[in-house]
Amino acid sequence: MPSELKKLMVEEIDLRIGSVSSLVLVGMTGITANQNNELRSQAAEKEIGVFNVKNSLAKLVFSKHGREDLSEYLEGPTVAIYGDERRSRSRSLQKNSPAARR
């Protein structure tokens, strides 16, 4: 049985990305602290949410919403970049992110 802390973490992940219209999962392996800060700064300027996800808990959220297909992208340290249709610029952020320039 999951601990109370893990249940709360799953609820938080679900609140943030459970029903968003735009979601990008970025593998952070090999990303420097400066690149990570740049990514977060760009996202904040565009009112896009960014947070580290615990892969096993994110898989539970994806399963709950019938999006098990997204689980294959959860390997190693992962950051979720998310927004809604009205203000989402995830695609442009993804193209300009430090991870895309590697």
Side-chain angles (χ1 to χ4, degrees), residues 51-69:
F51 76 105
N52 292 30
V53 295
K54 183 163 175 56
N55 295 345
S56 60
L57 302 180
K59 287 178 184 180
L60 294 173
V61 173
F62 294 154
S63 179
K64 175 182 173 182
H65 292 279
R67 295 303 316 263
E68 293 87 355
D69 56 316

Side-chain angles (χ1 to χ4, degrees), residues 49-90:
V50 176
F51 76 105
N52 292 30
V53 295
K54 183 163 175 56
N55 295 345
S56 60
L57 302 180
K59 287 178 184 180
L60 294 173
V61 173
F62 294 154
S63 179
K64 175 182 173 182
H65 292 279
R67 295 303 316 263
E68 293 87 355
D69 56 316
L70 294 175
S71 295
E72 71 180 273
Y73 301 106
L74 296 171
E75 189 172 310
T78 305
V79 168
I81 302 171
Y82 62 96
D84 61 35
E85 226 173 279
R86 291 175 285 129
R87 59 186 172 135
S88 177
R89 293 177 182 86
S90 296

